[in-house]
Amino acid sequence: AQSVTQLGSHVSVSEGALVLLRCNYSSSVPPYLFWYVQYPNQGLQLLLKYTTGATLVKGINGFEAEFKKSETSFHLTKPSAHMSDAAEYFCAVSPSGGYNKLIFGAGTRLAVHP
Amino acid sequence: DVKVTQSSRYLVKRTGEKVFLECVQDMDHENMFWYRQDPGLGLRLIYFSYDVKMKEKGDIPEGYSVSREKKERFSLILESASTNQTSMYLCASAQGAQNEKLFFGSGTQLSVL
């Protein structure tokens, strides 16, 4: 079975500061890992994904995440926060291979203040 | 531009009513999903469909049913709405078995009074 834990339901950073959103997963098979973002009054959009290959993946809007198998983590980072990054972020996992469905974490709401 | 359209942004219904939530995608995707989103719980999968007339239960199917008569349309049905079904409902679609990218609608905020 798969599960996702996002540490911190709310994170607040200053504009220009590092953004770090934490995600740990459990999976009985090699996972596919995803980060989605939800802006106010919108559906979710894919930020980035890890399936196979390079463990550091880059996404849209300057975000990146690193798959660390030994730590079962897939933390999301951005070097310099922008006001427009304020949103809710969801980590998700699915098993690789064959038909699958995504399991989402509880979400982390990111606030960016001037 | 790809699109997943949910028929209503806000709905208010009474306890015991039958409720239909409609979702249409224009990307010819095989797979469609219904999630509910609640604060602190993230997204939980209610039902999904990987083909016309095919459906599978997700993690929380109780009190819900679905219909997929056409490839582009996936309906969520609350047979007898209850107050604990007050939630944000999100529809999504994806192509292929790996579901490597889900496209989401904007959501329907359902209030059951």
Side-chain angles (χ1 to χ4, degrees):
Chain A
Q2 291 76 40
S3 67
V4 177
T5 302
Q6 291 184 239
L7 298 175
S9 58
H10 289 81
V11 171
S12 182
V13 300
S14 299
E15 193 173 19
L18 170 72
V19 175
L20 171 60
L21 305 183
R22 300 178 187 273
C23 173
N24 289 89
Y25 69 90
S26 67
S27 179
S28 54
V29 298
Y32 287 174
L33 295 159
F34 307 81
W35 276 99
Y36 280 82
V37 60
Q38 184 179 33
Y39 298 104
N41 299 314
Q42 295 185 27
L44 280 70
Q45 304 172 36
L46 181 66
L47 258 184
L48 49 79
K49 64 182 179 184
Y50 168 79
T51 54
T52 58
T55 56
L56 181 64
V57 292
K58 295 185 185 298
I60 61 173
N61 301 336
F63 284 92
E64 63 183 36
E66 186 170 12
F67 169 54
K68 292 188 176 181
K69 185 178 178 181
S70 61
E71 298 177 9
T72 61
S73 69
F74 191 57
H75 301 332
L76 181 71
T77 60
K78 182 174 180 178
S80 177
H82 192 272
M83 297 294 288
S84 60
D85 294 327
E88 190 156 21
Y89 293 79
F90 293 91
C91 183
V93 63
S94 70
S96 59
Y99 186 77
N100 60 71
K101 60 185 182 184
L102 264 64
I103 304 298
F104 285 85
T108 297
R109 187 168 296 279
L110 175 67
V112 182
H113 51 86
Chain B
D1 208 13
V2 298
K3 227 173 181 178
V4 178
T5 303
Q6 295 184 230
S7 53
S8 303
R9 182 76 180 102
Y10 298 97
L11 268 182
V12 180
K13 297 292 181 180
R14 299 238 175 246
T15 302
E17 279 192 76
K18 189 169 186 176
V19 181
F20 292 86
L21 302 183
E22 306 287 347
C23 176
V24 177
Q25 51 99 358
D26 66 357
M27 295 164 283
D28 202 36
H29 284 168
E30 297 167 351
N31 310 321
M32 295 188 75
F33 307 80
W34 276 106
Y35 288 88
R36 64 176 282 176
Q37 181 180 9
D38 299 287
L41 297 178
L43 278 71
R44 292 179 291 166
L45 183 63
I46 306 171
Y47 267 97
F48 62 102
S49 168
Y50 51 88
D51 201 354
V52 175
K53 296 191 186 294
M54 304 299 287
K55 61 184 179 184
E56 287 202 24
K57 293 179 180 179
D59 299 315
I60 51 164
E62 297 78 19
Y64 303 94
S65 62
V66 290
S67 172
R68 191 154 181 216
E69 296 296 319
K70 294 185 178 181
K71 190 175 185 180
E72 67 270 20
R73 186 180 296 270
F74 192 36
S75 303
L76 180 69
I77 303 156
L78 287 65
E79 296 290 343
S80 177
S82 63
T83 54
N84 63 13
Q85 292 178 310
T86 291
S87 185
M88 171 67 79
Y89 290 87
L90 292 170
C91 175
S93 72
Q95 182 67 13
Q98 301 305 313
N99 293 318
E100 290 186 18
K101 183 174 183 178
L102 265 64
F103 293 85
F104 282 85
S106 298
T108 296
Q109 178 63 52
L110 173 67
S111 297
V112 182
L113 306 178

